[in-house]
Amino acid sequence: MKFRKKHFVGLTLVSLILLLYPKWQNLYSSKSVYLDRKITKIEFAGNINTSASDIADIIDMKPGMVLSQDLLDADMRALFQSGFFFHIDILGELDGEGVKILVQVKERPRVKDIEFIGADEVFPSDLRDKIPLKENEVITPKKVQLSKEVILKKYRDEGFFLAYVRFELEPLDQKTNTVKVKFIIDEGEEIPVSKINIFGNSEIDTFDLQSVLDLKESGLIESGVFKEAAFETDKQKIVAYMKSRGYVDAEISNDGTNWEIKWENPKKKDKRVVVVNFKVVEGEQYFYNGYTTKHDMTLGPNNMPIYLNKEGNPPGTPLEEWRPVYEVKYLQDQYEFSTNDVGDVFDESKFQKDRGSINEAYSAKGYLFAQVIPRRKIIELTDESLARYENCQKRSSPEAVKDCEEEYVALNIAKLRKVYDSKPSLRGKKFIHVDFTIRENNLAFVENIIIKGNKKTLDRVIRRELLFKPGDLFNSTLVNRSRERIFNLGYFKEVNFNMRPGSDETKMNLIIEVVEQPTGTVSMGGGYGTITGFSIFTQLGENNLNGSGQQITGRIEFGPIRRFLQISWTEPWLRDKPWSLTLSAFYSSRTLFVGATSITENNNQGIKEAASYERAGVGVSAGIGHRFLVNWTHFHRYSPSFFASTRPSSLVSDQVLAEVNRGWQFRSQLTNGVAYDNRDNVFNTTQGFNLVLSIDNVGQYLAGESHFDQYSPILEYYHTWFDYTLFGLIRKNILRRWRVVQQFRTSSVFTYERAPKYGRQDKEKIPYIQVQDRLFLGGYESLRGWFFDDKYYPEEWRNGAASRVLFTTELRFPIEPSLLWFVVFMDAGAMYEEVNRAIGERKEAFQNYDSVVRAQRFADPAATYLFETFNSSGQKLPMSPYELNDPGRLVLSGKNISLQNFKYSWGFGLRIQIPVLPLRIYFAQKILYTGDAEAPFSTYPDTNAFQFVFGIGDLRF
């Protein structure tokens, strides 16, 4: 009874205490009341920019758990360590037998915007990408300090050692708890390098070492700005260069390698300069003495090789059937060094390439963990050391004799003896022989793919470009091609792949780091083509809509010859499958010139007036595409449209007038095609193929007034001949970007007339291939240096043709690889007709051409001879006009696609790759094919000047 009274008194006191407590109590001050109770609910208060779910993810407390002191302490630490809050209270309230938790926070302000004031010499976007303080993230003193240090380091790297950075905040926006951040930058001045000193070298010329440096002494040509990053890089370049000259022990001495800021004139103290010092240690020069390559055949407890092709040699494989992934002979064929090079200087860079070529070969087959273990053996070229291997029979035992004979062969002693006898200057020098031991190890599988740096672009947009997935066998070829595909999206200015070890010896993690660039475009500019004339345009576009990879563009173009309006939308991956969908609509109006008519009686020297009319069109298009294998795509597009011809000039043909009278006409077109593209960079290609084959079916079963089939093969090939290091003669890595590239391109269009499948259509009144569907040749678009109505063209070409064949090659020398190239080019082109297009009067002229020419030659031989041989100025013609216009040469056939029937030009110029306004400036000269093997081309007698050809935009065929 007494026991019960004590309990009753205790419970009464607790109840009275709780009645006196307010609703919510701080848990730390009332632990005895709330600890060891079950948590029934967790609420959050005071958070503005941090969601309740994000705070819940930070803490370990969850409803249903028992509240303990350790849990309370851990969650308080986690909340503070998140950096989101500067004040935190954790309150409790009794809820029956349990406890409700209230997490009350005061948030740190978040960054609304970051502004860089005074950043003139460094792009603000570069600073914004590098600093740890980001928009919509909380501001902490640590992030601010680190950001200032990053900005200062960037300026130091760029040569601005006197730069100063100040940090300011604008007034806090109480509603959003955000603030605008300002970094106010005083850039100071760049400091030039007045002198670069290199000490310690006795054999390698100082000038050679200075030539590999990025840093340069300031002078008339070089600005010589000092950059600390370049100083650090140059230390590595000096060592690499010395090792490539055989000084494999070369190094930079820390004692004596430095840079100092000094007054250029200590008395005036008006200008600061930097003096750079490099102290090198050369060491001895070594020479090459061959490689030995072998597989590590170490056996395990089961008497099977531990490191040899485990997948190809499972336990129990007989000894005679053991096979490596690569035979030794194959690996030896990959080396740059060969046995013929014994006695040459040991080039460390070439050795590293040889070692890397083995790793690359294994990586391509999934053996990322393959090890290439080099062991160097030094042999001094003396008579005593060579004689040691030449007198193997004097060894003490048969085993020693055998080992000696094997070393004699492996160490190329016979070759060394020849070097000793033929090159006395090398006696006493040291030769390096390298034993490569290869451990093939396990296949490597991709465990995880981690993407970093994408703020806007969704992960799936990047992942779908990968040619592999987690769990796949690692393949370096597919990895490299995947990196190219991601870069070719155009969303990133940098794409880097890095590998990290996985959870066991057979797995690895791939880290993809990207640096995004703006993908929205607002551009205004102009375009020019010989046929299309001048035009101005405005284009709005977004190539990565909401980070999804979708593209939407709108373009308005206006000019005296061409007016155009188009809007299009593309989803490159439907439901994250490699199928694309493109929808577009357009309106166009274009003035067409259809030849010239003489308006005087003298046809040879008469005045001619061009005939023209306008062609207007409106239509839509829907297309799908599908990527398959690695580099292949097939595509399909349906394009219904309406066209009408209007505003004919007085001298147009009856055919054009008939077309004008017909009014609006329906055109129905279906395009199917396949493409192969493995170009390394679609924006500035240096190697690879681009092949497109498309087939257009117009009319026929699809209805409409035009009826034909059109085949359009395009083939491009890019080849890099060399870069500006000139095959390694100039040791400057930055020059590897300056690649001399040649483009080879052929583009053909073959049009075959067909008949309508529904109803009847008078071919003479409504041609199956209408004027707008004809092809032209000449100008910037196709054949530079020629005009589309050139006097050396057959008459048939001047009104367009059904088929066209074009070839071009362009050799590009970079002046600045991302902006400017000097080019030399050669173009060739020809056009052809189908026989069944010759109807009415044209058909009669085609059929009777030979007899008409014979009759003319017979009726007036002298006048005909002069007409066929000389022009009006008395200069000899390259070809008889009768032969030039012979329909037999103009018909599409195998024998007519020949060198004699093509028109040619060559020239030179500049490609200026301004993003909004790419310019093309060329000087082109017509050239005549002679058929002479010694001099296959000559100039035309009355047209040997270079024509100025100007283009804006890539309007090529």
PDB file of all heavy atoms in Angstrom, residues 847-866:
ATOM      1  N   GLN A 847      16.571  14.725-131.964  1.00  0.00           N
ATOM      2  CA  GLN A 847      16.624  13.647-132.947  1.00  0.00           C
ATOM      3  C   GLN A 847      17.314  14.078-134.232  1.00  0.00           C
ATOM      4  O   GLN A 847      17.988  13.285-134.881  1.00  0.00           O
ATOM      5  CB  GLN A 847      15.207  13.153-133.244  1.00  0.00           C
ATOM      6  CG  GLN A 847      14.562  12.411-132.076  1.00  0.00           C
ATOM      7  CD  GLN A 847      13.125  12.016-132.363  1.00  0.00           C
ATOM      8  OE1 GLN A 847      12.474  12.607-133.237  1.00  0.00           O
ATOM      9  NE2 GLN A 847      12.621  11.036-131.617  1.00  0.00           N
ATOM     10  N   ASN A 848      17.120  15.345-134.626  1.00  0.00           N
ATOM     11  CA  ASN A 848      17.639  15.808-135.915  1.00  0.00           C
ATOM     12  C   ASN A 848      18.945  16.592-135.786  1.00  0.00           C
ATOM     13  O   ASN A 848      19.378  17.202-136.763  1.00  0.00           O
ATOM     14  CB  ASN A 848      16.589  16.699-136.598  1.00  0.00           C
ATOM     15  CG  ASN A 848      15.296  15.942-136.834  1.00  0.00           C
ATOM     16  OD1 ASN A 848      15.308  14.738-137.081  1.00  0.00           O
ATOM     17  ND2 ASN A 848      14.163  16.656-136.764  1.00  0.00           N
ATOM     18  N   TYR A 849      19.557  16.593-134.591  1.00  0.00           N
ATOM     19  CA  TYR A 849      20.726  17.452-134.361  1.00  0.00           C
ATOM     20  C   TYR A 849      21.877  17.115-135.316  1.00  0.00           C
ATOM     21  O   TYR A 849      22.453  18.010-135.952  1.00  0.00           O
ATOM     22  CB  TYR A 849      21.193  17.323-132.915  1.00  0.00           C
ATOM     23  CG  TYR A 849      22.296  18.305-132.550  1.00  0.00           C
ATOM     24  CD1 TYR A 849      21.987  19.610-132.201  1.00  0.00           C
ATOM     25  CD2 TYR A 849      23.634  17.925-132.571  1.00  0.00           C
ATOM     26  CE1 TYR A 849      22.982  20.525-131.880  1.00  0.00           C
ATOM     27  CE2 TYR A 849      24.636  18.822-132.248  1.00  0.00           C
ATOM     28  CZ  TYR A 849      24.304  20.124-131.900  1.00  0.00           C
ATOM     29  OH  TYR A 849      25.299  21.018-131.593  1.00  0.00           O
ATOM     30  N   ASP A 850      22.213  15.859-135.431  1.00  0.00           N
ATOM     31  CA  ASP A 850      23.353  15.475-136.279  1.00  0.00           C
ATOM     32  C   ASP A 850      23.131  15.872-137.728  1.00  0.00           C
ATOM     33  O   ASP A 850      24.042  16.386-138.398  1.00  0.00           O
ATOM     34  CB  ASP A 850      23.592  13.964-136.181  1.00  0.00           C
ATOM     35  CG  ASP A 850      24.123  13.567-134.812  1.00  0.00           C
ATOM     36  OD1 ASP A 850      24.624  14.446-134.093  1.00  0.00           O
ATOM     37  OD2 ASP A 850      24.021  12.375-134.446  1.00  0.00           O
ATOM     38  N   SER A 851      21.937  15.644-138.244  1.00  0.00           N
ATOM     39  CA  SER A 851      21.667  15.976-139.653  1.00  0.00           C
ATOM     40  C   SER A 851      21.670  17.485-139.872  1.00  0.00           C
ATOM     41  O   SER A 851      22.144  17.974-140.908  1.00  0.00           O
ATOM     42  CB  SER A 851      20.320  15.377-140.092  1.00  0.00           C
ATOM     43  OG  SER A 851      19.259  15.879-139.285  1.00  0.00           O
ATOM     44  N   VAL A 852      21.191  18.270-138.899  1.00  0.00           N
ATOM     45  CA  VAL A 852      21.211  19.726-139.028  1.00  0.00           C
ATOM     46  C   VAL A 852      22.644  20.235-139.064  1.00  0.00           C
ATOM     47  O   VAL A 852      22.999  21.111-139.867  1.00  0.00           O
ATOM     48  CB  VAL A 852      20.422  20.369-137.873  1.00  0.00           C
ATOM     49  CG1 VAL A 852      20.629  21.885-137.859  1.00  0.00           C
ATOM     50  CG2 VAL A 852      18.944  20.048-137.980  1.00  0.00           C
ATOM     51  N   VAL A 853      23.511  19.691-138.201  1.00  0.00           N
ATOM     52  CA  VAL A 853      24.914  20.113-138.167  1.00  0.00           C
ATOM     53  C   VAL A 853      25.610  19.753-139.471  1.00  0.00           C
ATOM     54  O   VAL A 853      26.360  20.555-140.045  1.00  0.00           O
ATOM     55  CB  VAL A 853      25.640  19.484-136.966  1.00  0.00           C
ATOM     56  CG1 VAL A 853      27.143  19.748-137.046  1.00  0.00           C
ATOM     57  CG2 VAL A 853      25.080  20.036-135.655  1.00  0.00           C
ATOM     58  N   ARG A 854      25.366  18.549-139.984  1.00  0.00           N
ATOM     59  CA  ARG A 854      25.982  18.151-141.250  1.00  0.00           C
ATOM     60  C   ARG A 854      25.539  19.064-142.388  1.00  0.00           C
ATOM     61  O   ARG A 854      26.336  19.473-143.229  1.00  0.00           O
ATOM     62  CB  ARG A 854      25.625  16.698-141.569  1.00  0.00           C
ATOM     63  CG  ARG A 854      26.415  15.683-140.770  1.00  0.00           C
ATOM     64  CD  ARG A 854      26.318  14.283-141.386  1.00  0.00           C
ATOM     65  NE  ARG A 854      24.921  13.832-141.458  1.00  0.00           N
ATOM     66  CZ  ARG A 854      24.325  13.142-140.493  1.00  0.00           C
ATOM     67  NH1 ARG A 854      25.003  12.836-139.376  1.00  0.00           N
ATOM     68  NH2 ARG A 854      23.069  12.757-140.625  1.00  0.00           N
ATOM     69  N   ALA A 855      24.270  19.396-142.386  1.00  0.00           N
ATOM     70  CA  ALA A 855      23.752  20.271-143.449  1.00  0.00           C
ATOM     71  C   ALA A 855      24.385  21.655-143.375  1.00  0.00           C
ATOM     72  O   ALA A 855      24.729  22.254-144.401  1.00  0.00           O
ATOM     73  CB  ALA A 855      22.228  20.379-143.331  1.00  0.00           C
ATOM     74  N   GLN A 856      24.576  22.193-142.179  1.00  0.00           N
ATOM     75  CA  GLN A 856      25.196  23.501-142.011  1.00  0.00           C
ATOM     76  C   GLN A 856      26.645  23.487-142.491  1.00  0.00           C
ATOM     77  O   GLN A 856      27.104  24.426-143.149  1.00  0.00           O
ATOM     78  CB  GLN A 856      25.118  23.917-140.541  1.00  0.00           C
ATOM     79  CG  GLN A 856      25.688  25.289-140.242  1.00  0.00           C
ATOM     80  CD  GLN A 856      24.873  26.406-140.872  1.00  0.00           C
ATOM     81  OE1 GLN A 856      23.660  26.262-141.058  1.00  0.00           O
ATOM     82  NE2 GLN A 856      25.526  27.499-141.239  1.00  0.00           N
ATOM     83  N   ARG A 857      27.363  22.431-142.151  1.00  0.00           N
ATOM     84  CA  ARG A 857      28.765  22.321-142.570  1.00  0.00           C
ATOM     85  C   ARG A 857      28.873  22.189-144.094  1.00  0.00           C
ATOM     86  O   ARG A 857      29.814  22.704-144.707  1.00  0.00           O
ATOM     87  CB  ARG A 857      29.417  21.128-141.883  1.00  0.00           C
ATOM     88  CG  ARG A 857      29.691  21.335-140.391  1.00  0.00           C
ATOM     89  CD  ARG A 857      30.140  20.059-139.725  1.00  0.00           C
ATOM     90  NE  ARG A 857      30.496  20.284-138.311  1.00  0.00           N
ATOM     91  CZ  ARG A 857      30.706  19.307-137.441  1.00  0.00           C
ATOM     92  NH1 ARG A 857      30.584  18.033-137.829  1.00  0.00           N
ATOM     93  NH2 ARG A 857      31.019  19.604-136.202  1.00  0.00           N
ATOM     94  N   PHE A 858      27.931  21.527-144.688  1.00  0.00           N
ATOM     95  CA  PHE A 858      27.960  21.336-146.151  1.00  0.00           C
ATOM     96  C   PHE A 858      27.538  22.603-146.872  1.00  0.00           C
ATOM     97  O   PHE A 858      28.116  22.972-147.895  1.00  0.00           O
ATOM     98  CB  PHE A 858      27.023  20.178-146.531  1.00  0.00           C
ATOM     99  CG  PHE A 858      26.985  19.904-148.004  1.00  0.00           C
ATOM    100  CD1 PHE A 858      28.017  19.217-148.631  1.00  0.00           C
ATOM    101  CD2 PHE A 858      25.912  20.363-148.774  1.00  0.00           C
ATOM    102  CE1 PHE A 858      27.975  18.978-150.000  1.00  0.00           C
ATOM    103  CE2 PHE A 858      25.864  20.125-150.147  1.00  0.00           C
ATOM    104  CZ  PHE A 858      26.900  19.429-150.756  1.00  0.00           C
ATOM    105  N   ALA A 859      26.558  23.328-146.336  1.00  0.00           N
ATOM    106  CA  ALA A 859      26.027  24.507-147.014  1.00  0.00           C
ATOM    107  C   ALA A 859      27.030  25.664-147.006  1.00  0.00           C
ATOM    108  O   ALA A 859      27.161  26.381-148.003  1.00  0.00           O
ATOM    109  CB  ALA A 859      24.717  24.940-146.355  1.00  0.00           C
ATOM    110  N   ASP A 860      27.731  25.885-145.907  1.00  0.00           N
ATOM    111  CA  ASP A 860      28.668  27.011-145.826  1.00  0.00           C
ATOM    112  C   ASP A 860      29.890  26.571-145.022  1.00  0.00           C
ATOM    113  O   ASP A 860      30.045  26.899-143.840  1.00  0.00           O
ATOM    114  CB  ASP A 860      27.981  28.200-145.154  1.00  0.00           C
ATOM    115  CG  ASP A 860      28.781  29.492-145.308  1.00  0.00           C
ATOM    116  OD1 ASP A 860      29.946  29.419-145.745  1.00  0.00           O
ATOM    117  OD2 ASP A 860      28.241  30.576-144.970  1.00  0.00           O
ATOM    118  N   PRO A 861      30.812  25.810-145.633  1.00  0.00           N
ATOM    119  CA  PRO A 861      31.951  25.233-144.903  1.00  0.00           C
ATOM    120  C   PRO A 861      32.835  26.286-144.240  1.00  0.00           C
ATOM    121  O   PRO A 861      33.261  26.123-143.111  1.00  0.00           O
ATOM    122  CB  PRO A 861      32.720  24.465-145.972  1.00  0.00           C
ATOM    123  CG  PRO A 861      31.733  24.245-147.073  1.00  0.00           C
ATOM    124  CD  PRO A 861      30.795  25.420-147.042  1.00  0.00           C
ATOM    125  N   ALA A 862      33.127  27.366-144.959  1.00  0.00           N
ATOM    126  CA  ALA A 862      34.059  28.367-144.428  1.00  0.00           C
ATOM    127  C   ALA A 862      33.483  29.051-143.191  1.00  0.00           C
ATOM    128  O   ALA A 862      34.147  29.165-142.147  1.00  0.00           O
ATOM    129  CB  ALA A 862      34.378  29.400-145.509  1.00  0.00           C
ATOM    130  N   ALA A 863      32.249  29.520-143.297  1.00  0.00           N
ATOM    131  CA  ALA A 863      31.632  30.202-142.159  1.00  0.00           C
ATOM    132  C   ALA A 863      31.454  29.260-140.973  1.00  0.00           C
ATOM    133  O   ALA A 863      31.645  29.645-139.813  1.00  0.00           O
ATOM    134  CB  ALA A 863      30.288  30.797-142.580  1.00  0.00           C
ATOM    135  N   THR A 864      31.092  28.001-141.290  1.00  0.00           N
ATOM    136  CA  THR A 864      30.911  27.024-140.211  1.00  0.00           C
ATOM    137  C   THR A 864      32.232  26.732-139.517  1.00  0.00           C
ATOM    138  O   THR A 864      32.307  26.606-138.292  1.00  0.00           O
ATOM    139  CB  THR A 864      30.315  25.728-140.760  1.00  0.00           C
ATOM    140  OG1 THR A 864      29.077  26.024-141.418  1.00  0.00           O
ATOM    141  CG2 THR A 864      30.063  24.730-139.646  1.00  0.00           C
ATOM    142  N   TYR A 865      33.328  26.655-140.288  1.00  0.00           N
ATOM    143  CA  TYR A 865      34.655  26.401-139.706  1.00  0.00           C
ATOM    144  C   TYR A 865      35.045  27.533-138.756  1.00  0.00           C
ATOM    145  O   TYR A 865      35.518  27.308-137.643  1.00  0.00           O
ATOM    146  CB  TYR A 865      35.694  26.270-140.811  1.00  0.00           C
ATOM    147  CG  TYR A 865      37.118  26.214-140.282  1.00  0.00           C
ATOM    148  CD1 TYR A 865      37.631  25.051-139.716  1.00  0.00           C
ATOM    149  CD2 TYR A 865      37.935  27.359-140.328  1.00  0.00           C
ATOM    150  CE1 TYR A 865      38.927  25.016-139.212  1.00  0.00           C
ATOM    151  CE2 TYR A 865      39.226  27.320-139.814  1.00  0.00           C
ATOM    152  CZ  TYR A 865      39.711  26.143-139.268  1.00  0.00           C
ATOM    153  OH  TYR A 865      40.993  26.116-138.766  1.00  0.00           O
ATOM    154  N   LEU A 866      34.832  28.784-139.205  1.00  0.00           N
ATOM    155  CA  LEU A 866      35.159  29.922-138.348  1.00  0.00           C
ATOM    156  C   LEU A 866      34.294  29.918-137.089  1.00  0.00           C
ATOM    157  O   LEU A 866      34.768  30.216-135.987  1.00  0.00           O
ATOM    158  CB  LEU A 866      34.966  31.222-139.120  1.00  0.00           C
ATOM    159  CG  LEU A 866      35.947  31.458-140.286  1.00  0.00           C
ATOM    160  CD1 LEU A 866      35.556  32.707-141.061  1.00  0.00           C
ATOM    161  CD2 LEU A 866      37.378  31.583-139.782  1.00  0.00           C
TER     162      LEU A 866
END
